[in-house]
Amino acid sequence: MPVSLQDIAARAVQARSRIRKHIYQTPLIPARRIGQEHDAKVLFKAENFQLTGSFKLRGALSKLSSPTAQGRLITASSGNHGIGAAFASKVLSKDLTVVLPETVVLAKLENIKMFGVDVILHGAETGLAEKHAQQLAASGSYTYISPYNDAEIIAGQGTIGLEILEQLNEVDNIFISMGGGGLLSGLGSVLKAYRPQTKIYGVCASNSKALAASIAAGHVVETDHLPTLAEAVAGGIDEDTITLSLATSVIDHVVECDEAEILRSVKALAVQENIIVEGSAALALAGFNQVANTLTGQTSVILLCGGNVDQDFIAKVVCSV
């Protein structure tokens, strides 16, 4: 059955009551320098400061605390959802296995293992890890939990929108990185339900843009998945994903960014704002930078979705020319 944005918004309110004792209400931080040259007010919703370093904790807690998460559970992740799900499984006493691509960032892998869950490495990218987890679940040994194609996961991500509505009286635009669409669908549904005048910008990486291409086509399409600094949003999407219709209904603009733009944005956040984030979070800023000259006098929120990075990566970025 199709899921409406009104349904997701209602579920987000319910999810918040279940998960709020386990998460941080993350700050909305005014930019020090970014946006000034265009006379645009910019604020960062800092999910990189979330308890597990990513917004993914919200969706994982929402799902694992719901009645549908029973028995032996299995999920797939590029890393951040795996960390959130592993944390949720520990605090909620759930039996969980996490399937990760063989290319997972080492820091994320170590964080997942820290919570004592079973880990399987499979495939060169997240889409292949998802298919493997689904195949294992189809054997009857597990209940599969999608990192994005699930109403309770999406509702958990939507709790970010409820916080923003309380933290900021007016928001003209919000920039959200696009992966499987759970964040875009959840946050977008809440904002469109309560503040429909807010413009939703979905930002995709040129090297892996399955959701953006599917929105443009009106149905799920496969795309090439090349290496990207925004590895947390890389990979394909399920053929039956509910995020496609939700994302299509809430999104106002799609912005596509290349690797050079993502790299510059990671560095700008570190050097100009003293904020350390991963490439998928900087992707949202890269999208803002593309259109900033059209946003004079407006208030824009940039969603910093995660900050789980290797120290060597940040050192190389900050020292780059």
Side-chain angles (χ1 to χ4, degrees), residues 41-54:
K41 181 179 180 181
V42 173
L43 301 102
F44 301 109
K45 181 57 172 168
E47 284 294 297
N48 55 307
F49 294 147
Q50 189 49 261
L51 188 58
T52 57
S54 163

Side-chain angles (χ1 to χ4, degrees), residues 131-143:
K131 290 178 181 177
H132 187 62
Q134 291 165 354
Q135 290 168 355
L136 292 173
S139 70
S141 299
Y142 301 93
T143 297

Side-chain angles (χ1 to χ4, degrees), residues 94-107:
K94 300 285 186 175
D95 184 349
L96 178 69
T97 296
V98 181
V99 183
L100 301 159
E102 295 164 356
T103 53
V104 62
V105 173
L106 182 60

Side-chain angles (χ1 to χ4, degrees), residues 186-250:
L187 180 47
S189 292
V190 168
L191 290 180
K192 288 299 186 182
Y194 293 105
R195 194 175 289 168
Q197 67 271 28
T198 299
K199 300 299 182 184
I200 310 291
Y201 285 79
V203 189
C204 69
S206 297
N207 280 8
S208 191
K209 53 180 182 180
L211 182 58
S214 298
I215 291 173
H219 58 85
V220 173
V221 298
E222 186 53 65
T223 62
D224 292 332
H225 301 293
L226 304 175
T228 175
L229 293 171
E231 44 79 27
V233 299
I237 56 177
D238 292 344
E239 183 67 31
D240 65 346
T241 183
I242 61 176
T243 58
L244 178 55
S245 61
L246 286 167
T248 301
S249 69
V250 302

Side-chain angles (χ1 to χ4, degrees), residues 8 28 34 45 47 57 61 77 95 154 158-159 180 191 200 204 223 257:
I8 293 298
L28 195 61
I34 289 172
K45 181 57 172 168
E47 284 294 297
L57 177 61
L61 281 166
S77 172
D95 184 349
I154 295 169
T159 62
L191 290 180
I200 310 291
C204 69
T223 62
C257 298

